[in-house]
Amino acid sequence: SDSVSFNSSMHLIHNPRMLWKNSMFVATAALLCCVATAAPTQGTVTEVSSFTIPKSPSGMFFYEDQSLLYILCGTQTNGEHYLYVYTTAGTERCLITIPQAVGMSRVDGFSLVGSKAYIVDSQGPIYASTAGKLGGSVYETDWTNPCGCSAGGTCTSTSVSWSPTVTKIWSLVATDASIGDGGGVDNDFRNSGIVIVGDYWYGVNGVHPVGGSLTQSYPKSLVKVAMNATEKAAGNAAATSKWSFTASTIGHDVDMEGLTCGADECADSIYIGDEYNYVYKLDFSSGEISMEWDLRTIVGSVPDDKGIESLTYASTTGHFYAGIQETAKVHVVSLSATQGTSSSNDDTTTPDTNTNTNTDGSCTVTADYPVCSAPTATTQRVRKEVRALTTAEWDKVVAAMWEMKTETLAGGVAKYGAAFKPYDYFVTKHAVTTTDTRGDQGHFGAHFMTWHGALVLEFENALLAVDPSIPGLPYWDQTISTPSVFSAAYFGADPGTDMDNQVTTGPFANWPIQDDFDIADYADMIADDSTVAFVGNGGWLRSAANELTNAFSTRYGSGSSWDAQAPTAAEWWACTTDDANEEWNDWYACIESGSPSIHSGPHAAVGGTSGSKRGDFEDPVTSPNAPIFMFHHANMDRSKMWWMRKHLADRCSYYGFPLTDAVTISPGGAGGGTMG
């Protein structure tokens, strides 16, 4: 799944500086040729994560039906080709081998639509006369889902051979009157990408220097071709529209290779990846490249013709995925229309500004204008999914948490500064809030996510105070079941394997529970002790109703059971993107009252109970006693961020917090019944 970039100087609900870090141009009978002339606006790009695949990625497609990336590797001319299936978090699911005997020369693009797959061959026409070669620019084939991948992002096979049945072939030539590429000296249209929109496909002509000269190779074009265009057997296909580019078009050499739609599904624009490591946004209405993002610093030093070879956009994460030929690395990036500095907005629209933002960054909210703009931060944190971390990154997080667990407040502040807090401070804060005499101040209402978001941020500040090299607090994406987080590598076995199900495996093995708790130790931190009801349980930092007296964090649940019933990626994202969840309370009800409950489900299923004893993650009062708590709630923060991002037009100093009376929302469905 995705990483989250956000400002490191975040403030809370009362402060508007909180800012988090996922007309069609139609040609009729006449060919319409557009040559961009205006210099594009320079946007801001932020890398959120990256992962490396075994071979160079020449084409990439995000298949929304499965929430999976299909990454084509076809740079071995006239050899075998490979199609890898990956999660958006960078976990390999399956390898599909396309045998040499199929007859494709150099595959450079891939797309899926229903029961059909579309494969681009950048050198097909060049080898058209070679025995055994198909000789096309685009192949339509029957799609058989060879890996057996499902909507939940899982696949029944890990390695298969696939010999697709080709049902249509289109061939392109640069000298066709509808294209006219190559300056009259380069006759080959080296199609290097594909996007299917309705009854048309889009392709792009990758540059091949003639005699070492790019100038002689220009112009190169993005073309739009009708699906009912002339097939190869009857000649070459003609373009219904084209957009031509040269070095003078946008001020530097171009070698356009990758194509993808963005969030608008190519209604108004299309995105192009360039091997010089730029991404462009072409607006159909103007026929010009309106935005350009420079990825050269992110990609690093690679040869000019070995940069971005493939590009796709994942609607579930809101990020773009750029595949690099030289390094076989996929960079996950957010693109923003904001100019000049890094930005956490990872779409390409700039939120409207307003006149009620004060010079100090605060916001004056009025009945007529409740929307505020937050200033751009100069630094960002990156929250990654735990399994997307390197071993070294994960080790740092674990070590910092153990330091928080074992160091005193005074000792930690002396070593790490005022942001440091001991781990049990957060357990106590959660317990005091939950048992407040005025009623639960952290659950069962629209305030739930704001309060927990503040707790997670305070915890993250303390974590990074211990080790500033940690990019940000990781999150646990419960829609990913492989590899399981309930293992020796991450959070240990579930249920716990030692006496009375104590967790004694994994990096948080033997995580101690305080047995000499005294609320008086926190007197200096409590503003009004008349509302405090929590006193622990006989010295244990657990709720009064919990008879558990184990010395170490305990789990009675079942990690495998939760993995089996956990929401799918589509169900998880529905809370943030479905129009039915338009209001804040709608979103909160979605994550809390579903079946299973996205928030409460893991607390109950993973923590579990044994008679009157409650596993630590299940105890609604002191659930942070389980180290997985903060990673789970970082994921809830992630859901909130995406809901907020979808509703930028409604943002104000409360960032969507309801202006009407809050409603009481209770956990429900399978795995429900617990708050934490």
Side-chain angles (χ1 to χ4, degrees):
S1 199
D2 59 306
S3 299
V4 179
S5 300
F6 62 97
N7 289 345
S8 62
S9 56
M10 214 184 304
H11 294 263
L12 303 180
I13 180 171
H14 63 278
N15 194 315
R17 297 187 63 191
M18 185 175 181
L19 178 66
W20 273 92
K21 278 286 81 25
N22 190 4
S23 61
M24 174 68 78
F25 176 86
V26 179
T28 54
L31 174 70
L32 189 51
C33 174
C34 306
V35 180
T37 56
T41 300
Q42 303 297 308
T44 297
V45 58
T46 303
E47 182 177 32
V48 293
S49 66
S50 65
F51 57 91
T52 303
I53 66 173
K55 298 180 182 296
S56 296
S58 58
M60 189 157 29
F61 176 74
F62 173 71
Y63 192 29
E64 190 169 17
D65 290 357
Q66 299 172 356
S67 295
L68 291 171
L69 296 168
Y70 281 78
I71 307 175
L72 188 65
C73 302
T75 55
Q76 181 181 350
T77 304
N78 294 329
E80 286 189 332
H81 305 303
Y82 306 95
L83 183 60
Y84 287 90
V85 185
Y86 269 75
T87 68
T88 53
T91 301
E92 183 180 330
R93 287 284 188 256
C94 185
L95 166 61
I96 302 170
T97 301
I98 304 174
Q100 179 180 357
V102 171
M104 298 178 186
S105 293
R106 190 180 179 97
V107 293
D108 255 352
F110 184 77
S111 184
L112 287 171
V113 180
S115 62
K116 296 294 184 180
Y118 296 86
I119 301 175
V120 167
D121 193 336
S122 64
Q123 297 189 20
I126 298 173
Y127 289 92
S129 60
T130 304
K133 296 303 168 187
L134 295 173
S137 296
V138 175
Y139 309 115
E140 178 188 86
T141 75
D142 289 331
W143 176 245
T144 60
N145 191 18
C147 290
C149 301
S150 67
T154 60
C155 305
T156 57
S157 299
T158 57
S159 182
V160 296
S161 179
W162 177 50
S163 297
T165 299
V166 178
T167 55
K168 287 185 179 180
I169 301 177
W170 294 277
S171 179
L172 295 173
V173 62
T175 54
D176 187 90
S178 65
I179 301 175
D181 272 4
V185 296
D186 186 4
N187 296 338
D188 298 307
F189 190 104
R190 295 173 175 82
N191 193 17
S192 301
I194 188 167
V195 165
I196 310 289
V197 180
D199 295 329
Y200 296 87
W201 55 261
Y202 293 82
V204 67
N205 194 356
V207 169
H208 183 77
V210 175
S213 170
L214 284 171
T215 303
Q216 293 184 61
S217 303
Y218 292 136
K220 294 296 182 181
S221 298
L222 168 70
V223 298
K224 179 182 179 181
V225 178
M227 301 291 275
N228 62 0
T230 301
E231 293 186 47
K232 174 179 173 290
N236 296 308
T240 61
S241 304
K242 76 161 185 173
W243 298 264
S244 293
F245 305 96
T246 69
S248 61
T249 304
I250 48 180
H252 55 75
D253 282 325
V254 296
D255 185 356
M256 299 184 177
E257 298 282 343
L259 283 180
T260 187
C261 294
D264 74 343
E265 299 180 341
C266 287
D268 299 312
S269 59
I270 194 168
Y271 293 81
I272 309 167
D274 190 305
E275 278 208 292
Y276 285 95
N277 297 316
Y278 293 91
V279 173
Y280 313 116
K281 178 185 178 184
L282 172 73
D283 289 328
F284 291 126
S285 59
S286 66
E288 296 184 349
I289 292 177
S290 62
M291 295 292 304
E292 174 185 272
W293 293 270
D294 186 346
L295 276 70
R296 289 177 296 175
T297 301
I298 291 172
V299 173
S301 178
V302 298
D304 289 342
D305 61 343
K306 301 289 186 181
I308 296 175
E309 184 79 17
S310 54
L311 183 71
T312 195
Y313 171 82
S315 56
T316 56
T317 67
H319 297 315
F320 289 83
Y321 295 72
I324 310 303
Q325 181 177 342
E326 175 73 6
T327 61
K329 181 174 285 189
V330 176
H331 294 275
V332 186
V333 298
S334 64
L335 304 181
S336 170
T338 304
Q339 301 179 53
T341 59
S342 296
S343 169
S344 63
N345 290 328
D346 44 0
D347 68 346
T348 55
T349 59
T350 304
D352 293 336
T353 57
N354 58 71
T355 58
N356 61 323
T357 301
N358 302 322
T359 56
D360 64 354
S362 63
C363 174
T364 303
V365 179
T366 68
D368 295 330
Y369 209 115
V371 180
C372 295
S373 297
T376 302
T378 57
T379 58
Q380 292 179 322
R381 295 176 184 172
V382 177
R383 291 179 176 178
K384 298 181 181 180
E385 211 280 330
V386 291
R387 285 155 291 194
L389 299 174
T390 65
T391 300
E393 288 173 332
W394 178 235
D395 288 346
K396 288 182 178 182
V397 173
V398 172
M401 287 180 64
W402 273 107
E403 176 70 355
M404 292 169 66
K405 184 65 175 175
T406 56
E407 183 57 87
T408 64
L409 175 62
V413 169
K415 288 194 288 185
Y416 306 115
F420 176 85
K421 298 290 190 302
Y423 190 91
D424 286 347
Y425 160 88
F426 298 97
V427 183
T428 304
K429 190 169 192 174
H430 189 275
V432 168
T433 300
T434 304
T435 58
D436 192 291
T437 58
R438 298 165 295 179
D440 193 328
Q441 301 295 298
H443 304 91
F444 302 112
H447 57 289
F448 159 74
M449 197 59 245
T450 303
W451 187 90
H452 280 79
L455 184 75
V456 168
L457 177 61
E458 189 178 20
F459 178 85
E460 184 178 53
N461 288 340
L463 185 78
L464 271 61
V466 174
D467 188 347
S469 70
I470 296 173
L473 175 64
Y475 63 90
W476 165 41
D477 184 350
Q478 57 196 252
T479 70
I480 302 173
S481 58
T482 305
S484 176
V485 296
F486 303 107
S487 63
Y490 296 104
F491 298 111
D494 186 26
T497 55
D498 202 32
M499 182 183 301
D500 198 20
N501 299 95
Q502 296 178 90
V503 180
T504 56
T505 58
F508 298 106
N510 302 315
W511 185 259
I513 306 301
Q514 187 176 351
D515 61 359
D516 59 351
F517 175 77
D518 186 348
I519 191 63
D521 293 339
Y522 295 88
D524 292 342
M525 302 180 183
I526 297 173
D528 182 3
D529 59 10
S530 68
T531 67
V532 176
F534 182 74
V535 293
N537 189 346
W540 292 102
L541 181 52
R542 290 188 173 113
S543 68
N546 190 355
E547 296 186 8
L548 182 63
T549 57
N550 287 346
F552 302 124
S553 186
T554 299
R555 292 195 197 117
Y556 294 115
S558 170
S560 60
S561 174
W562 172 250
D563 285 342
Q565 66 171 304
T568 65
E571 290 170 333
W572 193 92
W573 283 103
C575 291
T576 71
T577 58
D578 278 6
D579 290 340
N581 299 317
E582 190 64 23
E583 302 295 332
W584 176 277
N585 285 330
D586 298 330
W587 164 78
Y588 176 47
C590 185
I591 68 164
E592 196 61 77
S593 302
S595 181
S597 168
I598 292 173
H599 163 244
S600 298
H603 281 285
V606 173
T609 60
S610 177
S612 57
K613 295 184 289 187
R614 312 181 77 156
D616 284 301
F617 195 37
E618 200 274 345
D619 188 329
V621 176
T622 56
S623 48
N625 268 328
I628 199 172
F629 175 95
M630 292 297 176
F631 304 93
H632 173 49
H633 274 275
N635 195 40
M636 297 302 96
D637 249 10
R638 171 171 160 254
S639 178
K640 181 189 69 172
M641 181 203 75
W642 282 108
W643 183 91
M644 288 164 57
R645 183 187 176 282
K646 180 178 170 62
H647 298 84
L648 282 177
D650 302 322
R651 71 199 188 284
C652 66
S653 59
Y654 291 97
Y655 281 85
F657 194 82
L659 302 178
T660 57
D661 291 341
V663 298
T664 298
I665 299 172
S666 299
T674 294
M675 297 290 289

